[in-house]
Amino acid sequence: MSVLPLTAYSQEKDKEQIKGVLAEPDNAAEVREQIALVEKMLPQLADRGAALYFLATSKQHVGETLEALKLLKECLALREGFDPAGSPSLKVLKGSKEFDDLVAGVHRDFPAVAQARLAFITEEKDLVPEGLAYDPGQSLFYLSSLNRRKIVKISAEGRVSDFVPAGRDNLLPVVGIRLDPRDGTVWANSWAEATQRSELLHFDPGGKLLGRFAPTDAAKHGFNDLVVRKSGEILLTDTVSNQVFQFDFSANTFTPLPVHRPLSGPNGIALAEDDRQLFIADDFGVVHVDLEGGASSDVNPGPRSTLAGIDGLYWRKGSLIAVQNGIGSPRIAAFKLSKDGTRVTQTTVLENRSAFTSLPTTGAIRGNDFYFIANSQVDNMNAGKVMDVTKLAAIRIAVVRLP
């Protein structure tokens, strides 16, 4: 699910002016705690630019504009691909010469890339989709809906129909969605941000609900994206608890997956073809986990590249395909990896600042093509409801050829 740079809150609040003084946001204390934590983590992170960008947006959120600009300048000097022009947190700085000059420099270094084309379009404008998956056996795409709390299917010809209709199973907003490689059944995460409740859902190929599973503890959870191993084991990201869980279907248990550093808003997740290498995206990059040996490390993005802010994450032939909507202006990129999967050897921007990157979230690979949600409209949702129905538009699924 797409989230704002500070993943602990669902929507950035405008500051209120009280007696001529700008009041701090309600969550200022929490944000300052996050700032302190990231400052402590910074020396051990593989991507310094990611931490600097996070700190810049956080400082601006609590009204420390001068410090935010200083951190932003340091981040952008690394030329990794961060583009503050599309940042909700930094939008108040637009129009100032200092900020506009920084943006102009980024756009010179990272020009617009428009290679995608329109693949499908939905008639329902109020889906607010989040997850996309492809079923090669049936030549179908599955698209999950946050607002309608359902799943639709899209045929190869572009016909859209309900796979799981709204209201039938009393679902929470549906987020990430993946197919089970063993039998073609469908697994999906669901997450109500207002209550921080989550469920893992299982459907048969016809859309019948086979099971729903939730943690039994009292903690808050935000199940986001997921992968399914060849054994049937589910691994899913929990954006709220900052963990990745292993779900054992036979025991109906969720077990935290240990990694070498604290995760910050884990989101996208991908599994290599060997069923052993796991890749977890969070605010600061991608963590590589050896599921057999248990070792983990940050994937080194290499110079002038960043793996930060990834929503949808997918494995393809030794590369990671990513929807990056947490780096300011969203983009689609491919990252070629070293043989051991621990560092990026080549970064290719596939789509950037085009008509198809207004707010992409996730995608799905079909052959040599990457299909992705171009205009999710998740920024028009708050507490599980659409804020402005007049801004809703038909949902566009775009496609771009992979390198």
Side-chain angles (χ1 to χ4, degrees), residues 2 12 18 22 68 137 240 284 286-287 339 355 393:
S2 173
E12 184 174 343
I18 303 175
L22 287 175
V240 171
F284 305 122
V286 171
V287 171
K339 289 184 179 181

Side-chain angles (χ1 to χ4, degrees), residues 120 138-141 153-161 366:
F120 309 118
Q138 300 190 70
S139 296
L140 289 174
F141 288 91
K153 58 184 179 182
I154 306 173
S155 71
E157 298 75 30
R159 291 191 298 271
V160 182
S161 59
R366 178 189 181 190

Side-chain angles (χ1 to χ4, degrees), residues 180 182 187 200 202 210-213 231-234 246-253:
D180 193 317
R182 302 170 301 167
W187 291 89
L200 174 63
H202 192 201
L210 298 175
R212 58 202 313 165
F213 312 94
S231 64
E233 179 187 45
I234 310 289
Q246 296 170 290
F247 176 69
D248 185 331
F249 180 75
S250 60
N252 191 14
T253 56

Side-chain angles (χ1 to χ4, degrees), residues 129-167:
E130 168 56 28
L132 185 67
Y134 178 65
D135 181 351
Q138 300 190 70
S139 296
L140 289 174
F141 288 91
Y142 297 102
L143 182 69
S144 68
S145 169
L146 295 173
N147 184 48
R148 298 296 304 279
R149 304 187 180 198
K150 68 175 186 174
I151 301 173
V152 301
K153 58 184 179 182
I154 306 173
S155 71
E157 298 75 30
R159 291 191 298 271
V160 182
S161 59
D162 281 350
F163 174 66
V164 179

Side-chain angles (χ1 to χ4, degrees), residues 89-128:
S89 303
L90 301 174
K91 63 183 179 181
V92 296
L93 301 179
K94 285 185 177 181
S96 70
K97 185 178 185 305
E98 191 170 17
F99 181 80
D100 291 348
D101 285 348
L102 289 172
V103 169
V106 170
H107 290 182
R108 283 192 299 270
D109 291 336
F110 295 89
V113 179
Q115 302 179 129
R117 59 178 175 81
L118 182 65
F120 309 118
I121 193 166
T122 71
E123 293 183 1
E124 290 181 289
K125 296 181 178 181
D126 62 347
L127 287 175
V128 188

Side-chain angles (χ1 to χ4, degrees), residues 175-196:
V175 196
I177 182 169
R178 297 288 175 106
L179 265 72
D180 193 317
R182 302 170 301 167
D183 54 16
T185 56
V186 176
W187 291 89
N189 279 331
S190 59
W191 169 17
E193 287 194 67
T195 60
Q196 304 296 22

Side-chain angles (χ1 to χ4, degrees), residues 135-371:
D135 181 351
Q138 300 190 70
S139 296
L140 289 174
F141 288 91
Y142 297 102
L143 182 69
S144 68
S145 169
L146 295 173
N147 184 48
R148 298 296 304 279
R149 304 187 180 198
K150 68 175 186 174
I151 301 173
V152 301
K153 58 184 179 182
I154 306 173
S155 71
E157 298 75 30
R159 291 191 298 271
V160 182
S161 59
D162 281 350
F163 174 66
V164 179
R168 188 193 70 186
D169 299 312
N170 192 30
L171 302 180
L172 302 174
V174 189
V175 196
I177 182 169
R178 297 288 175 106
L179 265 72
D180 193 317
R182 302 170 301 167
D183 54 16
T185 56
V186 176
W187 291 89
N189 279 331
S190 59
W191 169 17
E193 287 194 67
T195 60
Q196 304 296 22
R197 289 179 52 228
S198 288
E199 287 184 325
L200 174 63
L201 309 169
H202 192 201
F203 302 94
D204 74 10
K208 179 184 177 181
L209 181 64
L210 298 175
R212 58 202 313 165
F213 312 94
T216 56
D217 60 15
K220 296 179 179 179
H221 293 280
F223 289 179
N224 202 328
D225 213 344
L226 70 160
V227 291
V228 187
R229 299 186 75 185
K230 295 174 183 177
S231 64
E233 179 187 45
I234 310 289
L235 295 123
L236 60 88
T237 54
D238 187 331
T239 303
V240 171
S241 72
N242 293 312
Q243 296 185 90
V244 171
F245 285 103
Q246 296 170 290
F247 176 69
D248 185 331
F249 180 75
S250 60
N252 191 14
T253 56
F254 293 88
T255 305
L257 179 73
V259 293
H260 68 287
R261 68 163 172 84
L263 295 173
S264 175
N267 198 334
I269 187 168
L271 185 65
E273 291 172 342
D274 62 10
D275 204 49
R276 175 173 176 167
Q277 296 181 85
L278 183 71
F279 299 88
I280 305 161
D282 78 347
D283 290 323
F284 305 122
V286 171
V287 171
H288 172 275
V289 182
D290 180 350
L291 292 174
E292 300 302 323
S296 70
S297 63
D298 281 273
V299 178
N300 190 327
R304 298 195 175 187
S305 180
T306 183
L307 290 164
I310 293 174
D311 195 336
L313 185 66
Y314 312 91
W315 170 273
R316 179 182 181 268
K317 298 180 180 180
S319 294
L320 292 175
I321 311 302
V323 179
Q324 288 182 285
N325 57 23
I327 60 172
S329 296
R331 70 180 188 180
I332 313 298
F335 300 93
K336 183 69 176 176
L337 299 179
S338 58
K339 289 184 179 181
D340 64 1
T342 62
R343 60 185 178 86
V344 174
T345 60
Q346 182 179 356
T347 299
T348 304
V349 177
L350 304 176
E351 197 77 6
N352 186 36
R353 300 200 333 268
S354 78
F356 295 114
T357 57
S358 55
L359 188 46
T361 49
T362 62
I365 296 172
R366 178 189 181 190
N368 295 318
D369 294 320
F370 182 62
Y371 291 75

